[in-house]
Amino acid sequence: MSVIDFILSWQIILQPFFKMIRRLFSTLITDCPPPGDFLPAPIYPGNSSNSNSNNSNQHQSASGGAGPTDSALPSAFQPAASLQSLAWLHTTSPCFPVSGDRIEVIREPTAFYNTLLEKCTTARRRIMLASLYLGTGSLETRLVHAIHENLQRNDRLRVSVLLDFTRGTRGVSNSKTTLMPLVEETDHFRLSLYHTPVLRGMTKRLAPPRWNELLGIQHMKLYLIDDTVILSGANLSNDYFTNRQDRYVMIEDRRLADFYAQFLDKVQEFSLTVGRDGETRLHDTWTMLPYKCTQYEFATEARERVRTFFRGVIAEQRNLLQQQQQQDDGADTWIFPLIEMGQLGIHHDSLATKQLLSGCLRGSRLQLATGYFNLTETYMRTLTNDCQAQCNILMAHPNANGFLGAKGPAGGIPAAYSLLARKFLESLRSSGQSHRVELFEYERPGWTYHAKGLWYYLPNSTLPNVTLIGSSNFGERSVHRDLEAQICLVTTNDGLQRKLQAEYENLLQHATTAETDLVNRPVPRWVRAVVGLFRNFF
């Protein structure tokens, strides 16, 4: 009997052993400050007696505090009584009221690229791009050339790019080498590379490219040009500009743009700066190399800087609200920025997402999408046991998975996602919830699928009232390893709601029900043997 046959035959007995090894391995490579409270306590006094008992759990903040009562709802939500069950969002994040008419939903990769190119060509004051990496093909080179030319003719323009260190320096020709001409030419261009504090010592010296990215990466996708913010899950490379389906929302609002500019400045403080000589060095305000100091010291200081920034923004917004100086005239849409930096002890987006899932009302609908089906145990339990909405989950078919055909163990990743989805489907059946949650797979000839987020429809609503959009895949990596950013967008703007509905329908037209295929799809034995042990890394 082979080792794999032995593991499969005794998987029930070995499951506790796998969990123990997984926890031990995670302990050895993770040394971050305890999560604690990322944001301050709610400004609005809790009063559970005013709440319907069926909805009491929906008025709890993501940090566990009481949410606003009916009589103390933020002024932004007062005209929209239907949004009352979402008022807890004001206790979890800064809030930016905007007009939905100033928000565009981009549907296709080519439109995303053309928008970026046009915006970077005509930018007047600032360009800030945060992505996992920048590709080296002709489309990426054209984008860099447009930024370069704009810098040469516009002395007021300041450009900064934030990428991941390991992914951005992989190979001889890479993101860093592509951007070095701009670094060498002008002080108005800054290139920062986030280096995870987990990659250190023997692991840093011996782990080969690609493998060293398993321990944690900069995964945020934020594209800021002047007063325009584009949030997406798409990286800056050829596939994401042509035939890799993702999501993209473009918001015109100076206050939101200023917020994200300051936030990215904070992340750049604890990232490495690339000098004109091509060497990386510390930011002027930072004193610790991520792979030299202790991981705890690095994570604690980085977390404190991000938390101080967020708390400062919330305090300022609260003061304006209390003094009734914050004018929301014309606002019918509210933007709540969410971040997740598990290695730094920041769990913010995951708490808000869990609260949103568990607070779905009876009679509501929820459409969830992820490029990689590896939902955390918490999300799966919440969807099964707490969520009352009728749910659809859209994911990539193996043929639309970016890892299809990859060399080595990575080639088994599509099968691993299928196995995890099958197990979730089985758990739904055993819990008597399979009638409420349905799985779909995206498959489009010549395309891969990378879209993620959710669309939430309140009871009796035919159009989405809420969407989450950003870089998170709702998986183990998103919560525990990588730097993530997304927004929770709440709207009553009919035009924007229709755009969001059309966006989802555009994805769903290439999807089919996954149940039959999942049950019958073969999964290699070695994938079944190791998926439970390593699911935290993909």
Side-chain angles (χ1 to χ4, degrees), residues 233-252:
N235 291 303
L236 299 174
S237 69
N238 181 78
D239 289 355
Y240 294 91
F241 297 153
T242 54
N243 62 347
R244 188 157 171 77
Q245 183 65 61
D246 216 302
R247 298 182 66 203
Y248 335 82
V249 63
M250 181 170 68
I251 306 167
E252 302 277 356

Side-chain angles (χ1 to χ4, degrees), residues 6 32 54 66 88 122 194 204 228 253 284 313 394 432 451 459 509 513 521 527 530 535:
F6 173 78
C32 60
N54 292 330
W88 60 269
T122 59
Y194 172 81
K204 181 174 174 62
T228 300
D253 185 74
D284 294 340
V313 173
L394 178 61
Q509 68 173 321
T513 303
R521 187 175 299 152
V527 172
V530 303
R535 64 174 297 194

